[in-house]
């Protein structure tokens, strides 16, 4: 397991996660971390929370874990990286400069309490020796592994529409999370990305603010609480993995999926949570939009345009019984097969996998990534 340079790391959270896994009998001794990864500090967490409150009704809905402010420092070239922990004098001097800047903003702009320098420094230094055995040249290690014939599996977080460049800006995350960033975020060449699997649920979800054309349910908006959307949220257990906030839900948006396929260069699709649609009488699929009197078959650019889109739906008969745990395509109800095949047609890419439950073996494999 490798944490690449494209990730921002909170040492306190990382070490606590390692401790929790170890206590459950999971060996974390092989975990390595890029020396170029940037650090999340206590002042990043403070800034994240106070700035989000400061935005009021315009808030984006961050996790409050300091991720955005850490990436801001990275782009501003004042960030502290993992490797800096091993140069205490340099780290201390840079930390002091950073806190002078951020504390000025916290006290004078946000009206918040300053972050203590000595406490922050002592906390950071306490992590250095514990992290040091894990820190390697990740780019070199991955290159060597590939040259030795090993397979590399990259996993990205978030989704295409939350990408800082290609998402519904400003309702996005603070980094690039499209497939191409697997190369930049780890230090391998783009030719290493031989098969790109796009993962999407059989319906749509979103945490936080931002346009959502096919939306059926929003916990905070009574006007958007269609019973089917509520059902999707409840049956699918749709809560933010970090914040615990209820996710907004809606019908699968194949036109948005098509945009994601274009941006990521997908080889195939994995459709998850098919079983959540069990028992719904009529299932809808968004295949395009009407925008300013024009018909579109792919998601437009820009949050403002997306917010004005009226979805165009195709309706499909639902299926009786359950798809939960099914492992063979032929055993899926024919209605489910027809719905999935239509997703393929609209998206223009084959479905490689279908997930019918949370366990690893509750999966239908239709296309092996490295076989014709």
């Amino acid at each position: 397991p490798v944490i690449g340079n494209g990730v921002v790391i909170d040492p306190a959270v990382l070490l606590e996660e390692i401790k929790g896994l170890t206590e459950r009998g999971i060996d974390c001794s092989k975990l390595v971390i890029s020396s170029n990864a940037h650090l999340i500090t206590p002042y990043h967490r403070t800034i994240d929370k106070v700035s989000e409150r400061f935005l009021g009704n315009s808030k984006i809905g961050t996790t409050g874990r300091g991720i955005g402010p850490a990436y801001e420092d990275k782009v501003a070239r004042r960030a502290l990286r993992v490797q800096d922990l091993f140069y205490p004098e340099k780290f201390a001097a840079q930390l002091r400069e950073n806190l002078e800047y951020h504390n000025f903003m916290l006290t004078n702009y946000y009206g918040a309490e300053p972050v203590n320098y000595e406490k922050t420094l002592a906390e950071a230094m306490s992590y250095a020796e514990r992290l040091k055995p894990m820190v390697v040249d990740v780019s070199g290690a991955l290159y060597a592994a590939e040259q030795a014939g090993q397979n590399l599996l990259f996993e990205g977080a978030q989704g295409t529409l939350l990408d800082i460049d290609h998402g519904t800006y400003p309702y996005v995350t603070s980094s690039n999370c499209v497939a191409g960033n697997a190369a930049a975020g780890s230090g391998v060449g783009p030719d290493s990305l031989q098969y790109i699997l796009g993962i999407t649920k059989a319906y749509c979800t979103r945490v936080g603010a931002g346009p959502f054309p096919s939306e059926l349910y929003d916990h905070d908006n009574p006007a958007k609480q269609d019973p089917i959307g509520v059902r999707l949220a409840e049956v699918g257990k749709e809560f933010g993995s970090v914040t615990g906030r209820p996710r907004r839900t809606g019908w699968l948006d194949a036109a948005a999926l098509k945009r994601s396929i274009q941006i990521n260069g997908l080889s195939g699709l994995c459709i998850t949570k098919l079983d959540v649609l069990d028992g719904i009488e009529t299932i809808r699929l968004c295949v395009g939009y009407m925008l300013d009197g024009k018909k579109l078959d792919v998601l437009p650019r820009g949050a403002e345009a997306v917010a004005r889109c009226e979805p165009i739906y195709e309706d499909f008969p639902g299926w009786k019984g359950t798809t939960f745990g099914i492992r063979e395509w032929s055993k899926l109800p024919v209605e489910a097969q027809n719905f999935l095949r239509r997703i393929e047609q609209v998206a223009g890419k084959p479905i490689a996998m279908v997930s019918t439950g949370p366990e690893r073996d509750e999966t239908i494999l239709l296309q092996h990534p490295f076989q014709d």
Side-chain angles (χ1 to χ4, degrees):
V2 174
I3 297 178
N5 56 274
V7 177
V8 288
I9 297 174
D10 186 329
V13 174
L14 176 62
L15 291 169
E16 188 63 27
E17 289 182 356
I18 291 172
K19 178 184 175 183
L21 290 170
T22 303
E23 289 174 350
R24 289 184 292 187
I26 298 173
D27 181 13
C28 298
S29 62
K30 294 182 179 180
L31 173 67
V32 295
I33 303 168
S34 171
S35 59
N36 289 340
H38 290 69
L39 295 171
I40 300 173
T41 69
Y43 56 83
H44 290 133
R45 294 193 295 270
T46 301
I47 294 165
D48 202 357
K49 293 172 183 175
V50 300
S51 61
E52 187 76 349
R53 290 197 298 267
F54 191 80
L55 290 172
N57 292 333
S58 300
K59 65 182 180 180
I60 294 170
T62 73
T63 61
R65 292 206 166 187
I67 295 169
Y71 276 112
E72 288 182 45
D73 273 3
K74 175 180 178 177
V75 174
R77 299 185 297 276
R78 60 171 168 258
L80 291 160
R81 298 187 293 177
V82 170
Q83 60 185 279
D84 296 329
L85 287 168
F86 313 123
Y87 301 92
E89 291 184 4
K90 175 187 174 183
F91 187 95
Q94 184 63 50
L95 177 64
R96 186 179 293 278
E97 287 185 16
N98 286 3
L99 272 178
E100 286 177 0
Y101 170 79
H102 287 303
N103 278 337
F104 178 85
M105 294 295 293
L106 283 169
T107 57
N108 292 279
Y109 188 68
Y110 294 113
E113 291 296 317
V115 176
N116 183 272
Y117 168 75
E118 286 78 13
K119 182 180 178 181
T120 303
L121 178 61
E123 181 180 322
M125 289 297 100
S126 72
Y127 302 134
E129 290 306 310
R130 297 165 67 188
L131 290 177
K132 195 168 187 177
M134 308 179 207
V135 179
V136 301
D137 172 7
V138 161
S139 176
L142 293 178
Y143 180 80
E146 189 173 26
Q147 292 299 302
Q150 297 183 39
N151 292 323
L152 307 180
L153 174 63
F154 298 91
E155 180 188 13
Q158 310 286 11
T160 301
L161 296 186
L162 293 179
D163 184 272
I164 187 68
D165 286 312
H166 302 288
T168 49
Y169 190 92
Y171 306 100
V172 292
T173 191
S174 303
S175 61
N176 290 110
C177 49
V178 293
N181 203 49
S186 63
V188 303
D191 60 340
S192 297
L193 311 181
Q194 298 165 356
Y195 185 98
I196 301 174
L197 181 69
I199 302 174
T200 181
K201 295 170 186 172
Y203 52 96
C204 275
T205 62
R206 181 164 193 152
V207 173
F212 190 167
S214 65
E215 185 170 15
L216 290 170
Y217 165 72
D218 180 352
H219 180 269
D220 298 318
N221 187 350
K224 290 189 175 180
Q225 291 191 2
D226 185 287
I228 292 179
V230 175
R231 181 186 185 280
L232 294 175
E234 292 177 349
V235 177
K237 297 180 174 60
E238 295 297 347
F239 298 91
S241 58
V242 174
T243 63
R245 291 173 298 179
R247 291 191 179 111
R248 298 156 64 192
T249 62
W251 297 116
L252 179 60
D253 188 336
L257 179 58
K258 184 183 291 186
R259 172 69 75 183
S260 299
I261 288 169
Q262 294 173 2
I263 294 169
N264 291 283
L266 297 187
S267 308
L269 295 169
C270 173
I271 308 296
T272 69
K273 292 196 168 185
L274 179 67
D275 55 294
V276 176
L277 300 181
D278 290 352
I280 297 177
E281 185 174 347
T282 300
I283 296 171
R284 310 194 86 180
L285 178 68
C286 175
V287 297
Y289 319 96
M290 293 300 299
L291 176 63
D292 300 333
K294 295 181 180 180
K295 186 176 179 180
L296 305 177
D297 64 356
V298 66
L299 191 78
R301 295 302 185 109
E304 292 78 10
V306 175
R308 301 201 316 274
C309 284
E310 294 294 330
I312 298 172
Y313 290 114
E314 289 182 3
D315 290 349
F316 298 81
W319 48 88
K320 296 180 180 179
T322 179
T323 61
F324 183 81
I326 289 179
R327 298 168 174 80
E328 297 177 31
W329 175 266
S330 61
K331 293 184 179 180
L332 287 175
V334 66
E335 296 87 354
Q337 294 182 25
N338 291 339
F339 175 64
L340 292 170
R341 289 306 183 200
R342 183 55 180 154
I343 294 172
E344 284 186 320
Q345 291 172 357
V346 178
K349 286 293 176 180
I351 293 176
M353 299 172 63
V354 180
S355 172
T356 58
E359 300 301 325
R360 291 189 178 195
D361 60 349
E362 292 171 339
T363 302
I364 301 169
L365 187 62
L366 299 174
Q367 179 190 71
H368 193 285
F370 301 111
Q371 294 177 352
D372 294 334

